[in-house]
Amino acid sequence: MSNRNDLKNTLSYLHSELNRIETMAGTLSTVEREHFNKLTNFDHRELMDIAVEEQNAARQLGAIKQMCLAMAQKIEGMKKALDHGEPGERTQHDPVH
């Protein structure tokens, strides 16, 4: 029972941290997009290069946000499975092949 509670607590912690990372990545992605929009208003080659880097950073942060969301959903599924007595309920070990 203690192992099950430890697992549930660990999953809750991971879920919470993934949500925090997702939020931070989303915020930073928005900031990067705003920088891209501001920098592209200038007719200056170096600023355009920086704008492109900002755009790439925004895309990568958007991808990180989506990965965090997917992992958080997976963890939520694992927590629900634990609540419904799925993994960890078996009393015998699976046979080794």
Side-chain angles (χ1 to χ4, degrees), residues 7-67:
L7 180 57
K8 285 175 70 172
N9 289 337
T10 299
L11 290 173
S12 292
Y13 170 74
L14 292 173
H15 188 263
S16 173
E17 291 300 301
L18 283 169
N19 284 337
R20 281 179 20 135
I21 294 168
E22 178 191 347
T23 300
M24 287 187 275
T27 300
L28 290 172
S29 178
T30 300
V31 169
E32 297 291 340
R33 263 187 252 116
E34 289 172 3
H35 289 170
F36 170 79
N37 291 334
K38 288 179 183 174
L39 291 169
T40 53
N41 288 332
F42 298 100
D43 187 25
H44 190 274
R45 178 71 188 156
E46 289 183 25
L47 292 178
M48 287 299 293
D49 290 344
I50 294 171
V52 170
E53 290 175 4
E54 295 289 306
Q55 187 179 41
N56 287 335
R59 286 185 186 137
Q60 291 174 351
L61 288 165
I64 290 170
K65 180 180 174 181
Q66 292 303 315
M67 288 187 287

Side-chain angles (χ1 to χ4, degrees), residues 4 24 40 44 69 79 82 85 96:
R4 184 182 206 97
M24 287 187 275
T40 53
H44 190 274
L69 178 63
K79 285 171 44 184
L82 280 173
V96 177

Side-chain angles (χ1 to χ4, degrees), residues 1-9 81-89:
M1 190 64 157
S2 178
N3 284 342
R4 184 182 206 97
N5 285 337
D6 288 345
L7 180 57
K8 285 175 70 172
N9 289 337
L82 280 173
D83 288 340
H84 290 100
E86 290 173 16
E89 284 295 316

